[in-house]
Amino acid sequence: MTSAREEILARVTSALGTDRQPPADLPQRARVTWDAGRTVDQFVETTADYRAIVERTVVNSLPQHIAAALAGASAASVIRPAGLDPSWLTGFPGTVLTDDHHTAYDLDSIDAVITAAAVGIAATGTVVLDHGPDQGRRAISLVPDVHVCVIRADQVVPDVPEATAALREAINERRPLTWISGPSATSDIELDRVEGVHGPRTLHVIIVDQDG
Amino acid sequence: MPKFPSMARDGLANTQQRRNLQHATHTIRSKRATVVDEVPDWEELRVRGAAVKDQVLAHLDDYLVQLEASLTASGATVHWARDADEANRIVRDLVQAKEVDELVKVKSMATQEIELNEALEEVGISAWETDLAELIVQLGHDRPSHILVPAIHRNRSEIRDIFREEMGAVGTPAPDGLTDEPTDLAEAARRHLREKFLRAKVAVSGANFAVADTGTLVVLESEGNGRMCLTLPETLISVVGIEKVVPTWEDLDVFMQLLPRSSTGERMNPYTSMWTGTTEGDGPQEVHVVLLDNGRTSVLADEVGRQALRCIRCSACLNVCPVYERAGGHAYGSVYPGPIGAILTPQLRGTSSPLDQSLPYASSLCGACFDVCPVRIQIPELLVHLRTQVVDEHRGGRPSAEGVAMRTASWMFADHRRYEKAQRASTMSSKLLGERTTLGRLPWPASSWSGARDAPAPPRETFRQWWVRTHGSESR
Amino acid sequence: MTASSAVAVQRVALFATCFNDTMFPEAPKATVRLLERLGISVEFPLEQTCCGQMFTNTGYADEAIPLVRSFVKTFGPYDAIVAPSGSCVGSVREQYASLATRAGDAGLSRDVDQLAPRVYELSEFLVNVLGRTDVGAYFPHRTTYHPTCHSLRMLRVGDRPQQLLSAVRGITLVDLPQAAECCGFGGTFAMKNADVSVAMGSDKVRHVRETQAEVLVAGDNSCLAHIGGLLGRQRAGVRTLHLAEVLASTEEDPA
């Protein structure tokens, strides 16, 4: 008896016939150079378009902005990835937990999460997490209802092709990726968009410019 | 199942559904147009998307072997399924080995196609749909009618009623005084599903893309239910059609641009999850991938029809289709409705049933679908191609009335003298009609025209008679 | 501008189409009057019958092939072939090649490839070949235009018909809402899926009536027969005319 694998591959091979061309070089979009300032401006605009709260600050003021963001979302507790700079939360008066094998039920009782990011995409208003040490495992940025995401201005790229290029290394390391564009949403009811379904209902993106 | 025209009659008569569909398709179609117009190189992206898919299909065996190796190296277990039964058996055995009686599901066309939920139910396993629309369909004991928004045929009040009546029987009931505001309905779904997400041990998903060179699977979604299923359970089983492969990570960018804009009319969908096998300390530690054929290799064997396998399930063709908009998704008798369904279903299932023979005819060939297809599937051409196949399959058998009429007409048209003779009969009948310019109701088969439309009375003089009278019988 | 100053077209043939020839002769007649008025000496080869589209689109490819052969033979000698029908021209230009391939006749494929680009829908011929948008027509009526699917999405005639109509003296041209939506005719679709076809047509008719136009114009009499049949059954008081009839209309010889 042939295995399913052998049979399916044989079906494919016979469907494709004998005169097969070798794979062609697929057209690739030309790499672009971009104006960093304009790209970040566009990122602010497109991220806000998707009902995320978005603001810009400089490194020195980051702790105040994070504290204000959490206060604005009425968060009394926040979870942080172990690799995130602890000084970021020095302005926050509430409970700070460092991720340590919390169960999904534990996470469900925590108000907010703070993460860094890997890449931002200006054309689409997207932040991408590669779940490195300063972003933590996937569950922590999913279950709490408020996600504060800090991204450096130099991590923002113009469009998807530049983003996939920047993420190649993370993929080679077999890291999971999460692409986030605004808070969770649905258009399933009469195709009217509603924000806030299962994922965080509040996404607060803070863009950090390096101090001059 | 009856043929498309009689199923469409039910859809046409359902006034509430007509209203819902008209509103929804027009909303999404204009959203799509807006975000597509933003992209200066959209046409170039479409061409690239089609080229990548064609490349995959032309070397599918090689890419599948490469995908399998990448998946295995990343800690996933790969299974192969020739058909629906085999895929269902694989999933069922994996779930039963975990000794659970429930699982959560990410919206997946492939699992609908193989009727996985029903197969699991037979052995006492509840498969909870977690996408809002799929939940509406599941709670309403209904069938999906759209690829992207399966409950598109329902409006807010109908959804509220379903939630009120059905949620309590399978979990957290709908809150008292639930209104039909979409925000309230979404909130009710969140509360209902949260307990299921938190306790789930096993999840089942499909995948939008599977990257051969890295073993990465990709799921695009909006609500976060996908992330819940892909992240919280210990075991993840993904059922993936073999045509979902893309060659390299770099080839993914074109689809991440084409799909969200074509599908939901957004620059980007809220959440996309990408995972490469298992990750220590993060997400499911047991990852299975079931590679599904179920008719795809038969589609591949038809060099013309093969294009249908480029489909990335965006549903843009449904949203612009005038036939789908009026007949509704259920008329297509398949999980793939609309224009893509009319070409994909008869190819996956073959054209032996009356329904599947009628699907390629479920189109006026208006061409709106091709214009919006992000991977440039020539749907109108494929519809004609499949109609030809349906007719060819009946050649040599007992001739149908239509076949006889067509052959006779072709013979008549093949020589202008025979054609002119037939024309004389029509002008004769016109003279008998006197001054009338239109005809009323006509007997069958012309009644299918004249039931709702006046038929024009033939003229007393054909064009060529006029030409000969005014310009002479030479062509000049 | 005269015809010869645009493109030198030696011999022009009219392809009337079987449907127009038999049922709607006014459109090809108007085409002849219009082209003659523009100084084009048009010929009508009597061997022509039908392009075969009905057979092709219903799945009867074998039955269409003899018609491809006779079309190629009939029109081969001409520099340009003009037809007052977007869908029949679409069939020749877009479907003949695959029918010739099916016939397995390399000579026929060659002939089709050479002939197809010389086959024009009326508005294409007027604007692209003759370089004319003002054809000297007079038509003092409130008019709306329905772009038929095959002219719009198969031939991509764009706004050429509207350019021609806009230049007509006396005309009041009103935009048709949801203009690009199919009217539901679709050839044998109108019979095989009569219910859906009529549902689509009903919406088209509703939009036509919203414009309060007294005349609906299109470039395909097949679609117009369907829309006009619905308008007629409703006694809507809207006339349907082929684009050629409006463009041929003058003060002396009104449509």
Side-chain angles (χ1 to χ4, degrees):
Chain A
M1 204 183 99
T2 42
S3 72
R5 178 184 189 275
E6 268 55 58
E7 191 170 331
I8 292 171
L9 289 172
R11 288 177 188 174
V12 172
T13 307
S14 96
L16 293 173
T18 44
D19 64 344
R20 299 182 45 179
Q21 305 297 317
D25 279 338
L26 289 168
Q28 294 291 337
R29 197 157 98 161
R31 292 267 165 256
V32 295
T33 53
W34 62 88
D35 175 315
R38 272 224 304 275
T39 302
V40 176
D41 290 345
Q42 189 191 9
F43 177 71
V44 170
E45 217 172 289
T46 51
T47 306
D49 268 355
Y50 278 147
R51 313 282 193 292
I53 304 164
V54 59
E55 56 174 320
R56 297 179 72 164
T57 181
V58 290
V59 172
N60 295 346
S61 319
L62 186 57
Q64 294 102 287
H65 278 268
I66 289 171
L70 291 167
S74 316
S77 57
V78 65
I79 187 163
R80 67 175 197 88
L84 187 107
D85 183 344
S87 74
W88 285 11
L89 286 159
T90 46
F92 178 62
T95 312
V96 178
L97 300 135
T98 302
D99 180 33
D100 181 23
H101 301 96
H102 292 79
T103 67
Y105 288 99
D106 297 336
L107 295 174
D108 195 36
S109 64
I110 299 168
D111 296 336
V113 56
I114 178 155
T115 69
V119 172
I121 308 173
T124 60
T126 305
V127 290
V128 184
L129 309 187
D130 66 10
H131 301 283
D134 58 359
Q135 297 154 61
R137 60 195 172 107
R138 284 170 284 173
I140 67 166
S141 46
L142 167 63
V143 182
D145 209 10
V146 178
H147 180 188
V148 179
C149 182
V150 179
I151 185 165
R152 296 194 318 269
D154 65 350
Q155 291 178 307
V156 179
V157 299
D159 207 343
V160 176
E162 293 77 37
T164 48
L167 292 160
R168 180 72 198 194
E169 202 177 321
I171 282 289
N172 286 347
E173 293 171 11
R174 295 186 184 144
R175 288 206 211 136
L177 303 178
T178 306
W179 298 43
I180 300 171
S181 312
S184 66
T186 184
S187 299
D188 280 345
I189 303 163
E190 298 181 6
L191 280 160
D192 284 347
R193 202 167 192 273
V194 173
E195 276 87 22
V197 196
H198 303 292
R201 277 179 283 203
T202 305
L203 174 68
H204 196 122
V205 178
I206 303 175
I207 305 158
V208 192
D209 290 285
Q210 296 308 311
D211 253 335
Chain B
M1 243 186 234
K3 292 178 169 189
F4 179 85
S6 60
M7 305 240 272
R9 251 192 299 278
D10 298 342
L12 291 170
N14 184 339
T15 52
Q16 184 63 69
Q17 176 176 296
R18 289 279 297 272
R19 167 87 194 92
N20 297 349
L21 274 174
Q22 189 194 30
H23 169 78
T25 53
H26 285 251
T27 303
I28 191 87
R29 143 187 348 176
S30 68
K31 277 183 167 175
R32 177 207 161 272
T34 306
V35 295
V36 162
D37 288 345
E38 275 182 10
V39 182
D41 59 343
W42 183 253
E43 205 45 42
E44 193 188 316
L45 282 173
R46 287 178 81 209
V47 170
R48 272 186 61 205
V52 172
K53 280 288 183 178
D54 283 352
Q55 174 105 320
V56 166
L57 296 173
H59 303 278
L60 188 57
D61 39 11
D62 300 339
Y63 286 121
L64 286 169
V65 171
Q66 189 189 9
L67 174 69
E68 179 187 44
S70 306
L71 282 166
T72 307
S74 65
T77 308
V78 178
H79 310 259
W80 300 72
R82 282 165 281 215
D83 54 28
D85 286 347
E86 189 163 28
N88 289 334
R89 217 171 26 246
I90 292 165
V91 177
R92 196 188 60 215
D93 291 351
L94 289 170
V95 177
Q96 285 181 320
K98 296 288 150 202
E99 295 177 342
V100 295
D101 62 359
E102 65 165 3
L103 53 84
V104 286
K105 277 189 75 201
V106 189
K107 181 177 173 313
S108 141
M109 296 304 300
T111 60
Q112 275 181 26
E113 181 194 319
I114 62 176
E115 298 183 333
L116 175 66
N117 294 8
E118 293 77 359
L120 291 168
E121 205 172 311
E122 277 171 23
V123 293
I125 298 164
S126 305
W128 306 118
E129 291 292 351
T130 63
D131 168 82
L132 179 52
E134 294 286 5
L135 176 74
I136 294 162
V137 168
Q138 189 173 45
L139 289 173
H141 312 287
D142 196 358
R143 284 173 303 133
S145 72
H146 188 279
I147 290 173
L148 173 76
V149 268
I152 194 169
H153 56 289
R154 299 289 199 184
N155 67 14
R156 57 185 70 190
S157 334
E158 294 171 291
I159 295 165
R160 180 201 52 203
D161 297 345
I162 291 170
F163 280 11
R164 274 185 185 164
E165 284 155 32
E166 303 285 345
M167 271 183 170
V170 290
T172 306
D176 289 337
L178 177 67
T179 74
D180 63 4
E181 274 304 308
T183 39
D184 283 1
L185 296 169
E187 180 61 22
R190 178 186 172 102
R191 287 180 33 162
H192 177 80
L193 286 170
R194 180 89 11 167
E195 61 167 352
K196 291 189 159 95
F197 288 136
L198 296 178
R199 72 173 186 235
K201 298 276 186 288
V202 177
V204 169
S205 83
N208 292 97
F209 305 101
V211 185
D213 77 334
T214 62
T216 306
L217 295 192
V218 182
V219 165
L220 285 78
E221 52 136 351
S222 299
E223 296 163 20
N225 64 303
R227 289 175 70 193
M228 292 277 177
C229 295
L230 300 169
T231 305
L232 299 182
E234 296 151 15
T235 304
L236 171 61
I237 305 162
S238 305
V239 180
V240 183
I242 52 174
E243 82 286 12
K244 297 284 187 181
V245 192
V246 296
T248 69
W249 169 251
E250 281 68 28
D251 295 318
L252 203 56
D253 78 77
V254 63
F255 299 108
M256 291 302 293
Q257 293 170 85
L258 287 169
L259 182 49
R261 292 181 198 259
S262 299
S263 182
T264 49
E266 294 165 302
R267 295 181 187 126
M268 188 61 82
N269 52 298
Y271 297 134
T272 299
S273 295
M274 301 181 176
W275 72 101
T276 308
T278 55
T279 306
E280 201 181 329
D282 185 349
Q285 295 303 292
E286 195 178 319
V287 168
H288 296 271
V289 180
V290 182
L291 297 173
L292 176 73
D293 178 351
N294 205 36
R296 285 157 178 76
T297 47
S298 328
V299 186
L300 190 68
D302 180 337
E303 279 180 43
V304 182
R306 187 182 293 175
Q307 276 184 63
L309 294 178
R310 289 182 195 159
C311 174
I312 55 176
R313 308 287 189 267
C314 75
S315 76
C317 62
L318 279 63
N319 300 333
V320 296
C321 178
V323 177
Y324 172 85
E325 183 193 324
R326 291 164 181 84
H330 295 151
Y332 295 80
S334 148
V335 294
Y336 303 111
I340 186 65
I343 59 169
L344 195 57
T345 305
Q347 292 198 86
L348 288 170
R349 295 202 297 221
T351 45
S352 55
S353 78
L355 168 68
D356 291 338
Q357 287 167 23
S358 73
L359 285 176
Y361 292 92
S363 163
S364 64
L365 304 179
C366 86
C369 46
F370 169 76
D371 282 5
V372 298
C373 177
V375 286
R376 295 178 55 90
I377 302 170
Q378 300 276 2
I379 298 176
E381 265 176 53
L382 291 191
L383 287 163
V384 172
H385 173 73
L386 290 166
R387 292 175 186 188
T388 308
Q389 190 178 299
V390 168
V391 170
D392 285 346
E393 280 167 0
H394 285 85
R395 288 186 192 276
R398 234 186 78 229
S400 64
E402 179 187 273
V404 171
M406 287 285 180
R407 265 189 292 286
T408 309
S410 169
W411 173 83
M412 181 267 291
F413 280 127
D415 185 323
H416 71 102
R417 284 160 301 205
R418 293 197 285 259
Y419 163 67
E420 284 160 11
K421 208 183 223 170
Q423 278 190 323
R424 281 197 286 276
S426 113
T427 47
M428 282 290 293
S429 69
S430 167
K431 292 183 176 113
L432 297 173
L433 287 165
E435 293 303 305
R436 292 176 60 182
T437 53
T438 61
L439 307 173
R441 290 172 200 280
L442 302 167
W444 188 89
S447 57
S448 59
W449 177 276
S450 67
R453 294 164 281 215
D454 283 354
R460 292 179 170 214
E461 184 181 49
T462 63
F463 170 76
R464 71 180 54 220
Q465 289 165 336
W466 172 84
W467 176 272
V468 170
R469 188 164 58 75
T470 56
H471 290 68
S473 61
E474 289 308 302
S475 69
R476 270 190 190 277
Chain C
M1 192 202 287
T2 58
S4 55
S5 68
V7 176
V9 189
Q10 297 301 314
R11 292 187 70 191
V12 179
L14 170 71
F15 171 44
T17 81
C18 64
F19 190 67
N20 284 324
D21 181 6
T22 310
M23 294 300 298
F24 292 97
E26 290 309 319
K29 281 194 226 171
T31 307
V32 171
R33 281 202 305 276
L34 172 64
L35 293 177
E36 286 175 351
R37 193 172 79 214
L38 297 174
I40 302 285
S41 160
V42 65
E43 302 178 45
F44 181 77
L46 290 164
E47 294 73 25
Q48 65 181 280
T49 59
C50 162
C51 69
Q53 179 179 215
M54 175 184 74
F55 303 94
T56 311
N57 283 350
T58 313
Y60 291 84
D62 285 352
E63 285 71 10
I65 287 168
L67 309 184
V68 175
R69 288 187 195 285
S70 65
F71 187 97
V72 166
K73 192 167 158 228
T74 303
F75 291 106
Y78 294 91
D79 299 309
I81 298 94
V82 189
S85 164
S87 77
C88 301
V89 171
S91 186
V92 173
R93 283 222 307 250
E94 303 297 324
Q95 298 181 319
Y96 270 27
S98 70
L99 289 166
T101 304
R102 179 182 168 108
D105 181 339
L108 184 62
S109 289
R110 221 177 14 254
D111 291 346
V112 164
D113 289 347
Q114 283 166 1
L115 180 66
R118 305 203 303 270
V119 182
Y120 300 94
E121 179 271 342
L122 177 63
S123 73
E124 292 178 324
F125 183 76
L126 294 172
V127 178
N128 296 16
V129 181
L130 303 187
R132 299 286 297 253
T133 50
D134 184 344
V135 294
Y138 174 72
F139 189 72
H141 302 279
R142 187 176 174 89
T143 305
T144 192
Y145 172 77
H146 165 64
T148 60
C149 298
H150 288 173
S151 63
L152 198 64
R153 285 181 283 267
M154 208 169 194
L155 299 178
R156 311 271 171 199
V157 301
D159 65 349
R160 290 178 188 84
Q162 287 95 328
Q163 289 180 36
L164 290 157
L165 286 169
S166 304
V168 172
R169 265 185 325 112
I171 199 167
T172 307
L173 199 56
V174 227
D175 280 344
L176 180 65
Q178 311 277 335
E181 277 231 354
C182 178
C183 71
F185 171 67
T188 45
F189 176 79
M191 310 286 273
K192 284 175 170 282
N193 276 287
D195 297 295
V196 182
S197 169
V198 167
M200 288 161 70
S202 301
D203 287 333
K204 181 59 70 178
V205 162
R206 183 165 47 85
H207 293 310
V208 170
R209 298 189 72 171
E210 280 168 10
T211 66
Q212 298 183 4
E214 62 176 292
V215 183
L216 169 69
V217 179
D220 278 276
N221 270 328
S222 48
C223 307
L224 279 179
H226 165 72
I227 308 170
L230 288 161
L231 286 164
R233 183 62 57 90
Q234 293 180 16
R235 309 293 184 258
V238 179
R239 195 158 54 124
T240 51
L241 278 179
H242 193 281
L243 176 68
E245 295 175 83
V246 175
L247 298 179
S249 174
T250 58
E251 284 176 73
E252 300 72 36
D253 190 8

